[in-house]
Amino acid sequence: MTAMSNTDRLPHIMARAGIFRHLADGFNYPDEVLVQALAEGAYAANLADALKRTGLDAAAGILADAAPEMPASQIDLEKDYTWMCFASKPRQVYLFESVYREGKLLQESTFQIARLYYEAGLQLSEAFKLPPDHIAVELEFMAFLFFNEAEAVREGHAEKANLAVRLQGEALQKHLMPFGLSVAERMEKHARTVFYRTLARVLRAVLEGPAV
């Protein structure tokens, strides 16, 4: 791939970074910033724009159809998130890859994804407040890798760009693809709010869409 074709891909790479960043925000515990963004329509608009710029029109359509009904109070989002992910017995949605794969926290899959973070140059204690295999952290990591790729392309640093692309593939295929599809399936089934049902459907569409 030539330098020109890499440069031409920059908007696509940055849009991919935006998609995963917005998804990470959605899968974090709901806060005032998310609630306000939903109320103002900014969350749906920004995510839909990024989806369209990468050719994920089906995902953008899901979001557009649900956007008018997505705003909700913080307490309603907190109740829904807490019930699905922490309070339900048996648990309805597994937020941690180790629980999904091995049945409990901090297992081999946790250390496998953490090793990818380390290889990317991240110090977990500084970069993330959640355990490394939380779904929001894995999504944030993908956003970080796309930002790194974009930066490397701007700098003409092929080795750095290749590392980012390789780590994207490993994180996606070995971790986020199977784990994320499980989260999406369970959340779409059990969510009581339009926002979380829609978020689940968009995540599924992104992971099953054209290869990153």
Side-chain angles (χ1 to χ4, degrees):
M1 187 172 290
T2 66
M4 178 61 73
S5 61
N6 275 336
T7 302
D8 290 343
R9 286 189 69 241
L10 270 173
H12 177 91
I13 297 169
M14 289 302 297
R16 282 288 187 179
I19 289 169
F20 284 101
R21 182 61 186 272
H22 286 304
L23 289 174
D25 290 342
F27 280 98
N28 262 311
Y29 190 81
D31 59 15
E32 292 181 5
V33 175
L34 176 63
V35 171
Q36 183 175 351
L38 287 173
E40 295 173 351
Y43 183 90
N46 292 335
L47 178 53
D49 178 65
L51 291 166
K52 290 175 183 176
R53 285 190 285 128
T54 60
L56 291 169
D57 294 334
I62 291 169
L63 198 59
D65 290 343
E69 299 179 76
M70 280 170 51
S73 69
Q74 187 169 347
I75 189 65
D76 284 343
L77 293 181
E78 288 176 349
K79 284 181 178 179
D80 200 14
Y81 190 93
T82 300
W83 172 249
M84 286 188 294
C85 305
F86 296 107
S88 55
K89 296 182 179 179
R91 191 75 68 246
Q92 293 176 339
V93 178
Y94 300 123
L95 289 177
F96 302 93
E97 186 180 355
S98 54
V99 178
Y100 158 70
R101 288 186 182 275
E102 292 115 324
K104 55 184 178 180
L105 287 169
L106 300 177
Q107 301 303 302
E108 179 58 28
S109 59
T110 311
F111 302 113
Q112 288 174 355
I113 190 69
R115 282 193 287 270
L116 295 185
Y117 300 164
Y118 179 80
E119 190 173 355
L122 287 171
Q123 297 294 325
L124 292 182
S125 60
E126 299 174 3
F128 303 116
K129 298 178 181 178
L130 293 165
D133 63 338
H134 189 287
I135 183 66
V137 179
E138 294 195 10
L139 290 164
E140 184 71 26
F141 180 54
M142 286 296 295
F144 172 81
L145 292 174
F146 279 110
F147 279 121
N148 276 9
E149 182 189 358
E151 183 180 66
V153 168
R154 292 190 189 99
E155 296 172 350
H157 198 312
E159 184 177 351
K160 183 179 176 182
N162 290 338
L163 174 62
V165 171
R166 178 174 66 78
L167 291 175
Q168 289 164 19
E170 289 189 31
L172 188 67
Q173 296 301 323
K174 296 180 180 179
H175 297 277
L176 193 53
M177 181 73 79
F179 173 43
L181 288 175
S182 172
V183 172
E185 179 182 2
R186 286 173 170 271
M187 185 168 281
E188 184 178 358
K189 179 179 179 181
H190 296 291
R192 299 170 180 174
T193 55
V194 173
F195 172 66
Y196 283 119
R197 286 198 299 273
T198 304
L199 189 67
R201 294 180 65 199
V202 171
L203 177 60
R204 178 196 293 274
V206 168
L207 294 178
E208 292 181 339
V212 296

